[in-house]
Structure formats: C-alpha cells, structure tokens
C-alpha cells in the first residue's frame, strides 16, 4: 500500500492512546515499531491530559471518574519518539479545563500538533493541518461525551470542542403487554453544534487535500454505535469531509462506507495504561489509509491487542486473535449494512465502484 513507485502514501490512524507511569515511556510502542514505521503520517487520539496527576487522594484528577489520573509531562516525549504527527484531544477525560489546556501546552512544547482543545471555543475548533510526504491533511476533533461544567469550551472559557447529543426514551414494542419492559433509547445531535461542525468542515475543505474528523462518542463497552454517532458522521461527510473515525467505547465497533466515504465508529484502544483498563478491552484496530493523489483508495484494517505486559502488539491476520478481531469487525459492520467486504480479509477498497454506497 505504500510503494514509492506508484506514489501511494500511507496515513496510519490509531485509537485511544494513554501512557501512564512507565519507567521508560518509549516502551509503550516497543512492539509496534514496524507498524509505525510503515506510514508516512501518524495520527491518534490522545486519551488523557498530559497535565501532572494529583498525588492527593482527597483531590482526584476527575472527581466524577473514580480512579482516573492524568498522565503527566514525562510521558509526552514517547508520542513524538513513536512518530506521531498529530493527536485529537477532545474527550471526556480532557477535564477539568485547566488540565486540558496544560496538556496542549505540553504538546506545543514537544512540537506535536493537536486539535479539539483550546483556551476558547474558537481555538478548540481550529483544525490541525499536517503537511508531509506531499500531502496536506486536515483534522478536526470533537467530543459528544463531556461533563456539564468546566468541560466544553465557550466563547471566553477554555475546554473541548463539543457536539452535544441528547437521549429520549420510547416505549418498547412490548410496553403495553409487559409493564417495566426496557424502553428504546433514541439519541440525536444538538442542531446548533452540528451546524458549527459543518461550518468547520466548510472552512477547512478548500485548504487541504483531505478532511478527517476524530470523534469521541458512543457508549463505553458497547459494540454498536448509537443513532447520534451516525447522524454526526453522515453530516460531516455530506458537508465535504472525507473520513470519520471514532473512539471512547474502548471496543471495536463496525464501519460503513457512506456515499463512497469511510466511517469507523470506534477503533478501540491502542496504548492504554490506565490501571482500571488493565486486562480489559484489550483489542483494537489500526487503520492504514492508502492515499493516491488526493483520494483515499484503500484502508488496511490491522488487528492489535494488548498483551500480558499491557503492551500493544500487532496480530497476524491469520492468527487466532487476528481472525477473532477481524471477524468481529466484519460482523459488526454487516449490521450497519456497511457496503463493503474486506479484500484478503483485511483491506477495504474505495473508489472506481469497488465499494457500493451503504444507503443503496
């Protein structure tokens, strides 16, 4: 996919990255060096501020999230050493706002590009543009998962770029017959914030070759996207974005091709050191995006899993673990009427009629 002879370039997208309390932070990437070296550009979601963690048990980093701790500046250099070119920062753990702002200050200090957090809403909505290997890629970052106070940026206050979503509850099909039956949960995006995202895409579109959205959304541990995730993704692609990828559920969700453009609803975890996540939600996928000219032509889905040492490693596609992750991904995608099959078991091909539109 990255042959210098045919001019194709590779963008590597990986999911939630969280490095904590390692004596050698670089060890987090020791078993994925070949994967990282195979791409010209690497973009990831940074799951957790690089602000210093609290040492006071009576003053936790996130009071409403028991056990959570920030990563600290000492972990930051490993991201740059691993070859990361940029990260999205808008998330439920970019909290409180001062810690989120300190995190992007650290990223500035090490020279790593970022988006999704800022000292004002305008700054949080600013894209990151990565110019490398003859490509000009624009990324935008939003979270739909956030605390009601001291989290979302405003015109004058720091925080995250958000696309708020709402929940409503509809009686289930057996409600009349069976009191107490589970309701149907409906979700939908805030139309003002959805339109703000569209405006961000419109402004970015003429400045870059490709526009890619990074969205922190969905329900932790849930293997299927909820309605508002699809609403946001479709709106972004309808407005001119080229790809959407998501995170936060910590598990792999399905993908779909919408009007010829790819959506990956959750790529799962990549490096993830938070103590509470050890031994849990070990699987993820890395996306090796082939770009020819100014078009995404194929995406290789690479199965990854954290091992007994909590180190992320690539699984061979024909290994038991590789087959399990890819099989589950295809099954989840079929539920979304994905509009594609994986060529050779790993590669989603786009363009020239290779993938039919999911809505057909």
């Amino acid at each position: 996919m990255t042959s210098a002879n045919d001019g194709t370039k590779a963008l590597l997208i990986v999911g939630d990255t969280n490095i904590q309390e390692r004596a050698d932070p670089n060890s987090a990437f020791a078993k994925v060096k070949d994967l990282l070296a195979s791409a010209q550009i690497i973009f990831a979601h940074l799951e957790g501020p690089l602000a210093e963690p609290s040492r006071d048990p009576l003053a936790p980093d996130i009071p409403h999230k028991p056990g959570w701790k920030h990563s600290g500046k000492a972990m930051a250099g490993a991201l740059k050493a691993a070859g990361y070119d940029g990260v999205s920062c808008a998330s439920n753990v970019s909290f409180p706002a001062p810690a989120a702002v300190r995190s992007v200050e650290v990223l500035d200090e090490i020279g790593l590009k970022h988006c999704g957090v800022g000292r004002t809403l305008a700054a949080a909505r600013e894209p990151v543009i990565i110019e490398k290997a003859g490509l000009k890629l624009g990324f935008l970052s939003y979270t739909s998962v956030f605390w009601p106070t001291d989290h979302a940026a405003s015109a004058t206050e720091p925080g995250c770029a958000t696309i708020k979503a709402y929940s409503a509850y509809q009686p289930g099909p057996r409600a009349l017959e069976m009191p107490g039956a589970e309701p149907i949960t409906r979700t939908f995006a805030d139309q003002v914030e959805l339109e703000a995202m569209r405006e961000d895409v419109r402004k970015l579109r003429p400045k870059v070759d490709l526009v890619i959205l990074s969205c922190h959304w969905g329900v932790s541990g849930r293997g299927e996207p909820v309605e508002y995730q699809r609403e946001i993704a479709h709106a972004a692609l309808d407005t001119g974005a080229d790809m959407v990828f998501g995170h936060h559920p910590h598990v792999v969700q399905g993908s779909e091709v919408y009007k010829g453009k790819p959506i990956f609803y959750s790529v799962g975890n990549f490096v993830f050191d938070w103590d509470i996540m050890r031994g849990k939600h070990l699987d993820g996928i890395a996306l090796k995006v082939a770009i020819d000219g100014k078009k995404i032509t194929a995406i290789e889905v690479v199965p990854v899993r954290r091992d007994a040492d909590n180190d992320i490693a690539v699984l061979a596609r024909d290994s038991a673990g590789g087959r399990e992750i890819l099989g589950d991904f295809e099954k989840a995608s079929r539920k979304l009427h994905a509009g594609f099959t994986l060529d050779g078991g790993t590669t989603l091909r786009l363009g020239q009629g290779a993938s039919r539109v999911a809505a057909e």
Side-chain angles (χ1 to χ4, degrees):
M1 291 175 62
T2 60
S3 168
N5 295 326
D6 66 10
T8 303
K9 306 297 193 304
L11 160 68
L12 182 67
I13 292 176
V14 297
D16 290 328
T17 298
N18 171 287
I19 310 174
Q20 293 192 350
E21 297 187 332
R22 286 185 180 246
D24 176 12
N26 294 322
S27 67
F29 302 99
K31 296 174 184 175
V32 289
K33 287 182 177 179
D34 289 346
L35 173 66
L36 298 172
S38 70
Q40 281 77 40
I41 299 172
I42 302 172
F43 192 86
H45 177 67
L46 181 62
E47 175 76 338
L50 298 169
E52 296 308 311
S54 171
R55 303 301 177 187
D56 181 357
L58 298 180
D61 289 326
I62 301 181
H64 62 265
K65 194 172 178 65
W68 175 264
K69 52 193 172 189
H70 301 327
S71 291
K73 182 178 179 179
M75 302 297 112
L79 302 170
K80 189 75 172 179
Y84 280 30
D85 294 288
V87 292
S88 54
C89 298
S91 79
N92 62 311
V93 293
S94 285
F95 180 91
V101 170
R102 176 56 188 150
S103 185
V104 298
E105 290 174 347
V106 170
L107 292 170
D108 286 338
E109 290 168 14
I110 66 171
L112 192 59
K113 294 188 174 184
H114 54 83
C115 53
V117 164
R119 293 188 176 279
T120 64
L121 178 57
R125 287 172 55 188
E126 277 293 309
V128 59
I129 296 177
I130 298 174
E131 295 186 66
K132 192 176 179 184
L135 296 172
K136 197 171 184 181
L137 306 182
F139 296 87
L140 292 160
S141 169
Y142 306 92
T143 184
S144 298
V145 187
F146 59 96
W147 196 246
T149 58
D150 204 21
H151 205 155
S154 73
T156 58
E157 298 295 327
C160 294
T162 63
I163 305 176
K164 188 185 300 182
Y166 304 100
S167 297
Y169 302 95
Q170 174 182 325
R174 302 188 69 183
L176 291 176
E177 168 200 2
M178 191 185 307
E182 292 294 325
I184 299 169
T185 302
R186 310 302 301 265
T187 63
F188 49 96
D190 181 274
Q191 293 304 299
V192 172
E193 295 200 344
L194 191 67
E195 180 56 29
M197 176 274 289
R198 290 190 184 102
E199 183 58 27
D200 292 341
V201 173
R202 293 187 194 106
K203 288 170 58 178
L204 180 58
R205 176 69 275 170
K207 300 177 182 179
V208 295
D209 298 326
L210 296 171
V211 174
I212 299 173
L213 261 67
S214 174
C215 295
H216 209 66
W217 56 11
V219 180
S220 287
R222 178 170 174 155
E224 297 179 2
V226 291
E227 286 175 305
Y228 81 84
Q229 292 174 253
R230 303 187 80 178
E231 179 187 7
I232 291 171
H234 291 184
L237 298 182
D238 283 338
T239 307
D242 298 282
M243 179 177 178
V244 177
F245 79 98
H247 27 81
H248 172 68
H250 301 296
V251 297
V252 176
Q253 294 184 341
S255 176
E256 67 172 311
V257 175
Y258 174 77
K259 296 185 177 178
K261 300 175 183 180
I263 305 164
F264 289 81
Y265 285 102
S266 176
V267 295
N269 292 337
F270 194 58
V271 170
F272 217 95
D273 284 336
W274 184 32
D275 286 344
I276 292 176
M277 198 66 74
R278 284 182 176 266
K280 183 179 179 182
H281 299 326
L282 303 177
D283 295 347
I285 53 175
L287 307 176
K288 197 169 178 183
V289 183
I291 302 170
D292 188 358
K294 298 182 179 182
K295 294 183 179 180
I296 297 172
T297 56
I299 301 174
E300 182 181 352
V301 181
V302 181
V304 294
R305 175 175 285 172
R306 301 197 322 279
D307 61 19
D309 298 318
N310 205 49
D311 293 331
I312 193 68
V314 174
L315 300 182
R317 70 180 186 184
D318 57 355
S319 67
R323 289 195 302 270
E324 178 185 2
I325 293 172
L326 291 170
D328 288 347
F329 168 73
E330 282 202 277
K331 182 178 179 181
S333 299
R334 283 197 297 272
K335 291 181 179 179
L336 301 175
H337 306 289
F340 68 87
T341 57
L342 292 181
D343 185 4
T346 60
T347 303
L348 185 164
R349 299 201 178 274
L350 299 168
Q352 298 179 340
S355 298
R356 62 181 176 82
V357 177
E360 290 180 350

